[in-house]
Amino acid sequence: MAPTEETRHAGPQTPLPGPTPPTPPPSGTDAEPSARMPRWLPRAMVLALALVGALQLGTWAFHQVIGLLINILIAFFLALAVEPAVSRMAARGMRRGLATFLVFFGLLIAFAGFFTLLGSILAGQIIKMIEGFPQYLDSVINWINTSFNTDLRRVDIQEGLLHSDWLRKYAQNSAAGVLDISTQVLGGLFQLLTIALFSFYFAADGPRLRRALCSILPPARQAEVLRAWEIAVDKTGGYLYSRGLMALISGAAHYVLLLFLGIPYAPVLAVWVGVVSQFIPTIGTYLAGALPMLIAFTVNPWYALWVLIFVVVYQQFENYVLQPKLTSKTVDIHPAVAFGSVIAGTALLGAVGALISIPAVATLQAFLGAYVKRYDVTDDPRVHGHRRRGEGPNPLARARRLWTRAQERTAGPGAGRGRT
């Protein structure tokens, strides 16, 4: 039937029953903005990648220069140690650079002469020990034959050692490790040269360095920086004084032992033990005790054992009794703080941290102490750990209450109701 004029302009008709056809997606550009990537996301991704790359680069650079930073830190504390002597010479009219050179030259001459004397003594004792080694070997063989009823001969032992695979492998490994040892020695010399140069510049240009640092700070901060610098000089000097005093005590104690045992070169060995054990951290004690033990072994092997026992016992006495008390008096920090600072410094920076931890903590404590407000403490016996009479719980009353509570807990709640 053909549509009429009325049906052509009629409204929407009711859909026929049945399944609804799917709605077609909207045409045009209305759906494009929701499907696009947000504009801030690429920038955020680039920024995150840049931050990660900068962090990785900074970590790599820090690990590359950590050795240089530690050398600069050692040089700075060494410059603080020689600052009083350099300033005293400069105050008398001498140029600061020349005064610094004279101080470092005097230290170099003293150390060079000391180690040269020790080297000559050590070389002579090693030659003596090598020449007397057959006699030591014969005495050991005779003791073994007498004690265990064996029939050992020195010639058989020497031939067995010369033709053994262990000796051949040890010689090969030693020859291969010569290059590594030479590299380590050269690296150590370069490190010492770096520390010496930086410490010389810090000491010679101390006023210029302080002026350059204060020029970027306001006047109030300048006074604080100069005060901290002065405190660091005083505390470092006190620390070196305490180390020198402990070196003197250690040298005197070991000198008495070596003189009692009849060990040759006792004064020089005592000075060696005192200086090395106090100014070389971590391994200084072992290096200091090895040389007297070697010399004592050339005299009598039992003397070397006595020296070892004395070194171990004295080291414990020094670590737990002598060092904390001397450090607390010269550097003005508590013995427990000194001991803890050494442990923390060793954990953070190894041997360098053990060497500079005490003056660093003392400087920080003295500097921060000026900004902590303190009050007068009342005269109360409890401050000294004493209680007044009549205060605190009576022991008998407290025991009676505890017994009553235990009885009530054992009887239970039903017992109380039965009594009522």
Tab-separated table of all heavy atoms in Angstrom, residues 379-406:
chain	number	residue	atom	x	y	z
A	379	ASP	N	69.728	19.834	93.026
A	379	ASP	CA	70.501	18.978	93.931
A	379	ASP	C	69.578	17.908	94.491
A	379	ASP	O	69.075	17.996	95.624
A	379	ASP	CB	71.113	19.813	95.052
A	379	ASP	CG	72.133	19.019	95.842
A	379	ASP	OD1	72.458	17.905	95.408
A	379	ASP	OD2	72.579	19.516	96.896
A	380	ASP	N	69.343	16.897	93.705
A	380	ASP	CA	68.439	15.812	94.075
A	380	ASP	C	69.246	14.531	94.190
A	380	ASP	O	70.055	14.220	93.297
A	380	ASP	CB	67.345	15.661	93.023
A	380	ASP	CG	66.181	14.818	93.532
A	380	ASP	OD1	66.443	13.805	94.209
A	380	ASP	OD2	65.025	15.161	93.237
A	381	PRO	N	69.071	13.753	95.275
A	381	PRO	CA	69.841	12.497	95.391
A	381	PRO	C	69.580	11.527	94.256
A	381	PRO	O	70.428	10.695	93.945
A	381	PRO	CB	69.373	11.925	96.736
A	381	PRO	CG	68.872	13.100	97.506
A	381	PRO	CD	68.278	14.034	96.481
A	382	ARG	N	68.406	11.622	93.621
A	382	ARG	CA	68.101	10.707	92.529
A	382	ARG	C	68.985	10.943	91.315
A	382	ARG	O	69.130	10.067	90.460
A	382	ARG	CB	66.628	10.836	92.150
A	382	ARG	CG	65.693	10.263	93.200
A	382	ARG	CD	64.258	10.575	92.904
A	382	ARG	NE	63.978	11.999	93.019
A	382	ARG	CZ	62.774	12.541	92.876
A	382	ARG	NH1	61.733	11.762	92.617
A	382	ARG	NH2	62.608	13.840	93.003
A	383	VAL	N	69.560	12.140	91.193
A	383	VAL	CA	70.501	12.390	90.104
A	383	VAL	C	71.716	11.485	90.225
A	383	VAL	O	72.268	11.000	89.230
A	383	VAL	CB	70.903	13.882	90.094
A	383	VAL	CG1	71.967	14.132	89.041
A	383	VAL	CG2	69.686	14.761	89.848
A	384	HIS	N	72.149	11.244	91.457
A	384	HIS	CA	73.309	10.388	91.711
A	384	HIS	C	72.938	8.923	91.859
A	384	HIS	O	73.790	8.099	92.228
A	384	HIS	CB	74.030	10.857	92.976
A	384	HIS	CG	74.411	12.304	92.938
A	384	HIS	ND1	75.470	12.771	92.192
A	384	HIS	CD2	73.843	13.387	93.533
A	384	HIS	CE1	75.578	14.087	92.339
A	384	HIS	NE2	74.604	14.489	93.152
A	385	GLY	N	71.666	8.577	91.612
A	385	GLY	CA	71.250	7.191	91.689
A	385	GLY	C	70.849	6.743	93.074
A	385	GLY	O	70.763	5.529	93.313
A	386	HIS	N	70.581	7.699	93.996
A	386	HIS	CA	70.181	7.348	95.358
A	386	HIS	C	68.713	7.700	95.544
A	386	HIS	O	68.222	8.708	95.031
A	386	HIS	CB	71.028	8.095	96.386
A	386	HIS	CG	72.489	7.864	96.221
A	386	HIS	ND1	73.086	6.638	96.426
A	386	HIS	CD2	73.491	8.706	95.848
A	386	HIS	CE1	74.385	6.730	96.212
A	386	HIS	NE2	74.664	7.972	95.839
A	387	ARG	N	68.020	6.891	96.327
A	387	ARG	CA	66.619	7.152	96.644
A	387	ARG	C	66.497	7.704	98.053
A	387	ARG	O	67.266	7.355	98.945
A	387	ARG	CB	65.792	5.858	96.539
A	387	ARG	CG	65.473	5.452	95.119
A	387	ARG	CD	64.589	4.214	95.136
A	387	ARG	NE	64.173	3.857	93.789
A	387	ARG	CZ	63.411	2.810	93.517
A	387	ARG	NH1	62.989	2.033	94.498
A	387	ARG	NH2	63.067	2.541	92.282
A	388	ARG	N	65.488	8.553	98.211
A	388	ARG	CA	65.201	9.049	99.546
A	388	ARG	C	64.493	7.973	100.382
A	388	ARG	O	63.843	7.089	99.839
A	388	ARG	CB	64.318	10.304	99.456
A	388	ARG	CG	64.998	11.476	98.757
A	388	ARG	CD	64.031	12.630	98.640
A	388	ARG	NE	64.657	13.766	97.980
A	388	ARG	CZ	64.016	14.894	97.682
A	388	ARG	NH1	62.734	15.031	97.996
A	388	ARG	NH2	64.647	15.878	97.086
A	389	ARG	N	64.632	8.120	101.675
A	389	ARG	CA	63.985	7.163	102.569
A	389	ARG	C	62.477	7.358	102.532
A	389	ARG	O	61.978	8.480	102.551
A	389	ARG	CB	64.478	7.346	104.000
A	389	ARG	CG	65.907	6.880	104.198
A	389	ARG	CD	66.277	6.961	105.673
A	389	ARG	NE	67.629	6.436	105.878
A	389	ARG	CZ	68.215	6.366	107.074
A	389	ARG	NH1	67.549	6.778	108.154
A	389	ARG	NH2	69.430	5.887	107.168
A	390	GLY	N	61.749	6.256	102.506
A	390	GLY	CA	60.294	6.322	102.468
A	390	GLY	C	59.716	6.368	101.084
A	390	GLY	O	58.499	6.288	100.917
A	391	GLU	N	60.555	6.565	100.053
A	391	GLU	CA	60.075	6.615	98.686
A	391	GLU	C	60.229	5.238	98.056
A	391	GLU	O	61.104	4.453	98.429
A	391	GLU	CB	60.848	7.654	97.875
A	391	GLU	CG	60.559	9.076	98.321
A	391	GLU	CD	61.235	10.070	97.390
A	391	GLU	OE1	62.000	9.622	96.510
A	391	GLU	OE2	60.991	11.266	97.542
A	392	GLY	N	59.350	4.993	97.107
A	392	GLY	CA	59.419	3.739	96.395
A	392	GLY	C	58.624	2.669	97.113
A	392	GLY	O	58.253	2.800	98.287
A	393	PRO	N	58.309	1.604	96.475
A	393	PRO	CA	57.477	0.553	97.071
A	393	PRO	C	58.234	-0.203	98.163
A	393	PRO	O	59.432	-0.475	98.053
A	393	PRO	CB	57.154	-0.357	95.884
A	393	PRO	CG	58.279	-0.131	94.932
A	393	PRO	CD	58.705	1.282	95.101
A	394	ASN	N	57.490	-0.500	99.235
A	394	ASN	CA	58.053	-1.314	100.311
A	394	ASN	C	58.178	-2.760	99.827
A	394	ASN	O	57.200	-3.338	99.344
A	394	ASN	CB	57.138	-1.236	101.528
A	394	ASN	CG	57.798	-1.874	102.741
A	394	ASN	OD1	58.876	-2.435	102.646
A	394	ASN	ND2	57.131	-1.776	103.881
A	395	PRO	N	59.304	-3.401	99.944
A	395	PRO	CA	59.439	-4.781	99.433
A	395	PRO	C	58.472	-5.750	100.100
A	395	PRO	O	57.904	-6.626	99.429
A	395	PRO	CB	60.899	-5.120	99.736
A	395	PRO	CG	61.589	-3.809	99.840
A	395	PRO	CD	60.586	-2.872	100.423
A	396	LEU	N	58.241	-5.621	101.442
A	396	LEU	CA	57.335	-6.542	102.117
A	396	LEU	C	55.888	-6.343	101.670
A	396	LEU	O	55.163	-7.314	101.407
A	396	LEU	CB	57.448	-6.355	103.636
A	396	LEU	CG	58.814	-6.724	104.242
A	396	LEU	CD1	58.826	-6.437	105.734
A	396	LEU	CD2	59.131	-8.191	103.968
A	397	ALA	N	55.473	-5.041	101.556
A	397	ALA	CA	54.103	-4.780	101.108
A	397	ALA	C	53.898	-5.250	99.671
A	397	ALA	O	52.849	-5.802	99.316
A	397	ALA	CB	53.795	-3.291	101.237
A	398	ARG	N	54.906	-5.065	98.856
A	398	ARG	CA	54.776	-5.498	97.461
A	398	ARG	C	54.690	-7.013	97.372
A	398	ARG	O	53.887	-7.570	96.608
A	398	ARG	CB	55.975	-5.003	96.652
A	398	ARG	CG	55.860	-5.291	95.182
A	398	ARG	CD	57.020	-4.688	94.436
A	398	ARG	NE	56.913	-4.958	93.019
A	398	ARG	CZ	57.831	-4.594	92.125
A	398	ARG	NH1	58.907	-3.921	92.516
A	398	ARG	NH2	57.660	-4.880	90.849
A	399	ALA	N	55.480	-7.726	98.181
A	399	ALA	CA	55.420	-9.188	98.174
A	399	ALA	C	54.065	-9.686	98.681
A	399	ALA	O	53.519	-10.675	98.170
A	399	ALA	CB	56.549	-9.750	99.025
A	400	ARG	N	53.502	-8.983	99.717
A	400	ARG	CA	52.196	-9.382	100.250
A	400	ARG	C	51.097	-9.211	99.204
A	400	ARG	O	50.223	-10.063	99.058
A	400	ARG	CB	51.885	-8.572	101.493
A	400	ARG	CG	50.649	-9.057	102.278
A	400	ARG	CD	50.390	-8.222	103.501
A	400	ARG	NE	51.523	-8.312	104.432
A	400	ARG	CZ	52.350	-7.306	104.714
A	400	ARG	NH1	52.192	-6.127	104.121
A	400	ARG	NH2	53.339	-7.457	105.558
A	401	ARG	N	51.147	-8.091	98.434
A	401	ARG	CA	50.145	-7.863	97.398
A	401	ARG	C	50.250	-8.912	96.295
A	401	ARG	O	49.241	-9.402	95.779
A	401	ARG	CB	50.305	-6.455	96.816
A	401	ARG	CG	49.803	-5.352	97.743
A	401	ARG	CD	49.607	-4.053	96.983
A	401	ARG	NE	50.848	-3.604	96.340
A	401	ARG	CZ	51.698	-2.765	96.914
A	401	ARG	NH1	51.454	-2.301	98.146
A	401	ARG	NH2	52.784	-2.384	96.281
A	402	LEU	N	51.462	-9.245	95.925
A	402	LEU	CA	51.640	-10.261	94.882
A	402	LEU	C	51.122	-11.616	95.359
A	402	LEU	O	50.509	-12.377	94.596
A	402	LEU	CB	53.118	-10.362	94.489
A	402	LEU	CG	53.702	-9.151	93.751
A	402	LEU	CD1	55.199	-9.344	93.513
A	402	LEU	CD2	52.991	-8.957	92.411
A	403	TRP	N	51.354	-11.950	96.640
A	403	TRP	CA	50.868	-13.229	97.171
A	403	TRP	C	49.344	-13.262	97.202
A	403	TRP	O	48.726	-14.274	96.874
A	403	TRP	CB	51.448	-13.438	98.556
A	403	TRP	CG	50.922	-14.659	99.246
A	403	TRP	CD1	49.974	-14.716	100.225
A	403	TRP	CD2	51.308	-16.007	98.984
A	403	TRP	NE1	49.740	-15.993	100.616
A	403	TRP	CE2	50.558	-16.837	99.850
A	403	TRP	CE3	52.213	-16.606	98.107
A	403	TRP	CZ2	50.688	-18.207	99.875
A	403	TRP	CZ3	52.349	-17.983	98.135
A	403	TRP	CH2	51.597	-18.768	98.982
A	404	THR	N	48.699	-12.139	97.580
A	404	THR	CA	47.240	-12.078	97.624
A	404	THR	C	46.642	-12.238	96.237
A	404	THR	O	45.661	-12.962	96.033
A	404	THR	CB	46.797	-10.752	98.252
A	404	THR	OG1	47.403	-10.617	99.542
A	404	THR	CG2	45.290	-10.682	98.403
A	405	ARG	N	47.245	-11.577	95.259
A	405	ARG	CA	46.751	-11.696	93.888
A	405	ARG	C	46.900	-13.129	93.378
A	405	ARG	O	46.029	-13.647	92.677
A	405	ARG	CB	47.492	-10.724	92.974
A	405	ARG	CG	47.173	-9.253	93.251
A	405	ARG	CD	48.016	-8.361	92.365
A	405	ARG	NE	47.789	-6.942	92.671
A	405	ARG	CZ	48.463	-5.954	92.101
A	405	ARG	NH1	49.410	-6.228	91.200
A	405	ARG	NH2	48.189	-4.703	92.427
A	406	ALA	N	47.980	-13.766	93.704
A	406	ALA	CA	48.181	-15.146	93.262
A	406	ALA	C	47.152	-16.076	93.888
A	406	ALA	O	46.623	-16.991	93.231
A	406	ALA	CB	49.602	-15.599	93.608
